[in-house]
């Protein structure tokens, strides 16, 4: 068995629960905490070490909870604190860790602090918790600088002052309903200390930190040097709005709070950051030994289906992380990205199953890599992206603010199918009229968990078998990898004393790097052959054939 039980996070497999789409216990068409609790045995059976819950705090849901109006409560949509405590009790009993999603860069425009700022005068203490500034140009009618918001449009909105006149502007790097907090104001940090302790006292095992390269802005809020580049991408490229040096002090402090709790009971708490920065070196700075434990490594997720591209990002991740004290946190899917089955499909190959075969292979690859892995709900079912949602059901603010369907995020957030032949597929509590908050396509029937569990060839069994082996094999989890010399288009590596993983990125079969029958493979795999779009694991004492 693994040595690192006390440092569980270093090679943990965490399942991301997008609460509103997981399981609905009340029949209102929206998933909730009681639904998550009911699903815990399913997740335990799958074999994950823990769950990360998307934000369930009181929120007007302009960005599905990433607009928090109260950091220390549960939105009635999802339950209440008592329900949260029951969830914690069950999770503890089952040995499933629980991470919460914390959103420190911005709050909701309905947060009492922002409401107070709106009715307070320019220069007031209430406005100093945010970034309020006078506009430029005649009558201050132009935004204070040229920054773009990540979800389209300018990063500034103008308020109307109490006397009815057009007033100051406030900064929001996402939507206008998500005003950015001013972390140069010590009150903000103090508030988040309270929030961390509130949830740590309720027993949580750590936090996924939203927009962890945000928080601080350049103190003078100067113009961005390349506003066109900022507008073109959803990546954090504006060097004045992201990745300011002061943010590292926050992570050092939060780490010390976690260590304090560990000192009390020996249980390690985890901080895993959503760190979008431009270079691998910058990324590594966030996971120095006294900062975040881990930061998501998104380059695997954005790599095209290509052996060289995968090898490059994996090698870079291993190099960057070396010496930081962290381990790589691998991700193939999350609630912001097109699902792998669809992403890896190619135009003109619909129905051929190519995307699904590649997604299965990628899963085995990810589970064999050194470090931790995150699975996004539905990934274990092989759910495809729902690409044809009609405009009138789309809820992603990116669609509303850009008028474009490009890169919208609703298609990966459609509620999970659990059973049956028609929507709601067991997602809601069985009330006939309850409609899932996003419509589920009829073909979701094929992916329902009851069918997946009953079919040993399903994605579910592949993930479950991979997780089981990973938990038992000393070669997997934390450590290093050694690349094998393989044919072009094939990636192969050895873990420990002879666990070989190989992936054939091409479509034609190739000789397998190990002669015997694989321990596990993502598709049918005769001894000695590695079919196209397939990954396999072998135990071998011949590590570089
Ligand atoms: C993160 C979240 C995303 C959210 C954004 C703003 O990128 O993953 O869902 O919209 O932050 O909070």
């Amino acid at each position: 068995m693994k040595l690192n039980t006390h440092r569980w996070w270093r090679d943990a497999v965490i399942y991301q629960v997008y609460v509103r789409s997981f399981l609905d216990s009340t029949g209102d068409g929206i998933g909730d905490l009681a639904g998550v609790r009911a699903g815990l045995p399913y997740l335990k059976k799958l074999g994950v070490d823990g769950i990360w819950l998307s934000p369930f705090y009181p929120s007007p849901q302009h960005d599905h909870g990433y607009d928090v109006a109260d950091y220390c409560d549960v939105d009635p949509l999802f339950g209440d604190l008592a329900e949260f405590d029951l969830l914690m009790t069950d999770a503890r009993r089952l040995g499933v860790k629980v991470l919460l999603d914390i959103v420190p860069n911005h709050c909701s425009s309905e947060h009492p602090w922002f409401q107070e700022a709106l009715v307070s005068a320019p220069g007031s203490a209430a406005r100093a918790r945010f970034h309020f500034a006078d506009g430029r140009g005649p009558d201050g009618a132009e935004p204070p600088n040229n920054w773009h918001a990540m979800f389209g449009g300018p990063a500034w909105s103008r308020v109307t002052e109490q006397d009815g006149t057009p007033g100051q502007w406030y900064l929001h790097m996402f939507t206008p309903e998500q005003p950015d907090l001013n972390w140069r104001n010590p009150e903000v940090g103090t508030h988040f200390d309270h929030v961390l302790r509130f949830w740590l006292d309720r027993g949580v095992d750590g936090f996924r930190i939203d927009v962890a390269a945000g928080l601080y802005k350049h103190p003078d809020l100067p113009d961005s040097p390349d506003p066109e580049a900022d507008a073109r991408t959803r990546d954090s490229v504006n060097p004045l709005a992201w990745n300011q040096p002061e943010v590292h002090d926050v992570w050092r402090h939060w780490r010390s709070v976690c260590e304090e709790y560990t000192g009390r009971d020996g249980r390690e708490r985890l901080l895993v950051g959503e760190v979008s920065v431009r270079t691998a070196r910058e990324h590594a700075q966030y996971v120095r030994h006294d900062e975040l434990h881990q930061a998501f490594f998104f380059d695997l997720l954005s790599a095209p289906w290509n052996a060289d591209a995968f090898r490059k990002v994996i090698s870079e991740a291993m190099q960057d992380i070396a010496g930081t004290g962290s381990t790589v946190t691998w991700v193939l899917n999350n609630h912001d990205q097109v699902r792998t089955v669809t992403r890896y499909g190619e135009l003109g190959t619909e129905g051929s199953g190519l995307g699904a075969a590649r997604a299965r292979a990628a899963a085995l690859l990810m589970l064999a890599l050194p470090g931790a892995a995150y699975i996004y709900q539905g990934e274990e079912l092989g759910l495809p992206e729902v690409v044809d949602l009609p405009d009138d059901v789309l809820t992603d603010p990116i669609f509303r603010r850009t008028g474009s369907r490009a890169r919208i995020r609703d298609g990966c957030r459609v509620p999970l199918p659990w059973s049956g032949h028609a929507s709601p597929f067991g997602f809601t509590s069985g009330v006939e009229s309850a409609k899932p908050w996003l419509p589920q396509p009829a073909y979701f029937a094929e992916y329902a968990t009851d069918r997946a569990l009953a079919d040993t060839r399903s994605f579910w069994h592949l993930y479950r078998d991979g997780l089981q082996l990973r938990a038992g094999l000393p070669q997997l989890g934390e450590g290093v990898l050694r690349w094998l010399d393989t044919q072009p288009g094939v990636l192969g590596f050895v873990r420990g004393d002879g666990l070989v993983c190989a992936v054939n990125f091409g479509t034609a079969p190739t000789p397998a790097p190990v002669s015997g029958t694989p321990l596990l493979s993502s598709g049918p795999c005769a001894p000695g052959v590695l079919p196209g779009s397939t990954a396999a694991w072998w135990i071998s004492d011949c590590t570089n054939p």
Side-chain angles (χ1 to χ4, degrees):
M1 285 304 286
K2 302 292 169 55
L3 298 174
N4 264 325
T5 43
H6 67 294
R7 313 204 72 193
W8 59 271
W9 51 271
R10 298 183 69 79
D11 56 10
V13 178
I14 306 287
Y15 184 96
Q16 180 189 355
V17 178
Y18 196 68
V19 178
R20 61 167 38 238
S21 300
F22 185 72
L23 183 59
D24 166 25
S25 74
T26 58
D28 64 355
I30 297 178
D32 45 47
L33 292 182
V36 179
R37 183 154 73 97
L40 283 178
Y42 164 82
L43 297 175
K44 181 71 189 170
K45 198 170 188 172
L46 181 61
V48 295
D49 298 302
I51 56 174
W52 143 30
L53 298 170
S54 58
F56 51 72
Y57 319 106
S59 160
Q61 304 288 322
H62 287 291
D63 189 18
H64 292 328
Y66 286 96
D67 46 328
V68 181
D70 179 352
Y71 287 85
C72 296
D73 205 348
V74 174
D75 195 300
L77 205 54
F78 303 120
D80 54 23
L81 281 172
E83 186 56 55
F84 176 80
D85 291 340
L86 290 174
L87 168 60
M88 283 306 304
T89 306
D90 280 17
R92 183 78 59 239
R93 186 172 45 77
L94 289 168
V96 173
K97 310 277 184 199
V98 178
L99 306 181
L100 302 194
D101 203 323
I102 193 160
V103 190
N105 179 69
H106 46 266
C107 62
S108 160
S109 52
E110 291 188 17
H111 191 285
W113 273 7
F114 193 72
Q115 290 296 312
E116 190 187 342
L118 285 180
V119 297
S120 300
S124 60
R127 287 206 175 174
R129 294 173 181 138
F130 299 91
H131 298 282
F132 275 84
D134 294 332
R136 298 199 287 203
D139 306 323
E142 302 293 326
N145 69 22
N146 65 359
W147 294 5
H148 285 278
M150 303 290 276
F151 294 167
W156 295 90
S157 289
R158 196 171 193 185
V159 301
T160 303
E161 302 295 357
Q162 285 305 94
D163 61 5
T165 57
Q168 287 195 300
W169 297 72
Y170 69 91
L171 180 71
H172 51 82
M173 293 309 295
F174 292 89
T175 71
E177 293 85 8
Q178 294 164 297
D180 279 50
L181 290 157
N182 175 12
W183 275 82
R184 296 186 190 278
N185 182 339
E187 242 191 290
V188 173
T190 306
H191 177 62
F192 276 93
D193 276 5
H194 165 72
V195 174
L196 287 183
R197 289 175 187 282
F198 178 86
W199 293 109
L200 288 169
D201 288 342
R202 292 192 111 85
V204 304
D205 297 283
F207 301 93
R208 175 267 186 189
I209 303 170
D210 193 59
V211 194
L215 283 65
Y216 281 85
K217 279 82 196 169
H218 188 287
D220 305 329
L221 301 173
D223 273 342
S224 164
D226 192 353
E228 275 71 40
D230 305 342
R232 261 197 314 273
T233 168
R234 231 170 65 200
D235 295 337
S236 319
V237 292
N238 176 348
L240 306 162
W242 308 106
N243 194 31
Q244 302 300 296
E246 297 88 339
V247 75
H248 294 285
D249 296 335
V250 178
W251 305 141
R252 271 185 212 107
H253 176 63
W254 285 28
R255 178 75 176 246
S256 74
V257 173
C258 287
E259 304 294 343
E260 179 194 319
Y261 276 77
T262 304
R264 285 186 207 162
D265 60 13
R267 271 202 303 128
E268 279 218 301
R269 307 322 195 266
L270 166 65
L271 298 173
V272 54
E274 184 203 28
V275 173
S276 302
V277 284
R278 288 167 302 168
T279 67
R281 227 180 114 248
E282 290 170 335
H283 188 264
Q285 289 181 340
Y286 283 78
V287 292
R288 286 176 287 198
H289 73 280
D290 58 348
E291 296 200 33
L292 303 179
H293 300 77
Q294 289 174 324
F296 293 120
F297 185 77
F298 290 127
D299 291 9
L300 189 69
L301 186 153
S302 41
W305 183 253
N306 168 309
D308 294 339
F310 268 61
R311 181 170 173 154
K312 182 166 180 287
V313 298
I314 293 166
S315 300
E316 281 176 2
M318 299 302 298
Q319 270 163 27
D320 298 338
I321 228 72
T324 60
S326 181
T327 52
V328 184
T329 308
W330 305 102
V331 191
L332 288 168
N333 291 280
N334 68 29
H335 66 295
D336 293 330
Q337 304 293 338
V338 173
R339 287 183 179 276
T340 31
V341 168
T342 305
R343 215 166 64 220
Y344 294 148
E346 279 175 357
L347 277 183
T349 61
E350 291 86 352
S352 71
L354 189 61
R358 289 172 171 175
R360 291 171 65 95
L364 273 202
L365 168 71
M366 176 173 78
L367 293 178
L369 290 173
Y374 279 66
I375 298 172
Y376 173 51
Q377 69 180 33
E379 182 179 331
E380 83 284 14
L381 301 173
L383 275 189
E385 183 85 359
V386 181
V387 292
D388 53 0
L389 290 167
D391 285 3
D392 61 347
V393 303
L394 298 180
T395 62
D396 187 349
I398 295 178
F399 178 65
R400 183 167 42 85
R401 287 181 59 76
T402 61
S404 159
R405 294 180 66 97
R407 303 177 78 195
I408 52 164
R409 302 170 296 171
D410 290 291
C412 64
R413 299 174 176 180
V414 175
L416 289 190
W418 290 87
S419 59
H421 299 285
S423 180
F425 300 113
F427 166 71
T428 69
S429 55
V431 180
E432 263 178 47
S433 59
K435 281 212 177 78
W437 68 277
L438 277 175
Q440 299 161 303
Y443 66 76
F444 261 33
E446 294 164 37
Y447 297 89
T449 60
D450 61 349
R451 281 176 75 161
L453 266 88
D455 179 0
T456 52
R457 293 158 312 170
S458 68
F459 265 76
W460 195 88
H461 280 274
L462 179 71
Y463 272 85
R464 205 279 311 264
D465 293 352
L467 288 169
Q468 254 179 14
L469 284 172
R470 186 183 153 105
L473 286 170
Q475 294 93 336
L476 291 180
E478 205 185 340
V480 291
L481 63 73
R482 189 162 56 75
W483 294 110
L484 290 174
D485 290 333
T486 41
Q487 319 253 352
V490 176
L491 214 59
F493 56 86
V494 189
R495 298 293 321 277
D497 61 0
L499 185 289
V500 174
C501 171
V503 188
N504 181 353
F505 284 77
T507 45
T510 173
V514 178
S515 51
T517 305
L519 207 54
L520 184 62
S521 60
S522 64
C525 203
V529 180
L530 186 58
S533 314
T534 303
W537 295 356
W538 299 262
I539 292 287
S540 164
D541 46 12
C542 168
T543 51
N544 205 356

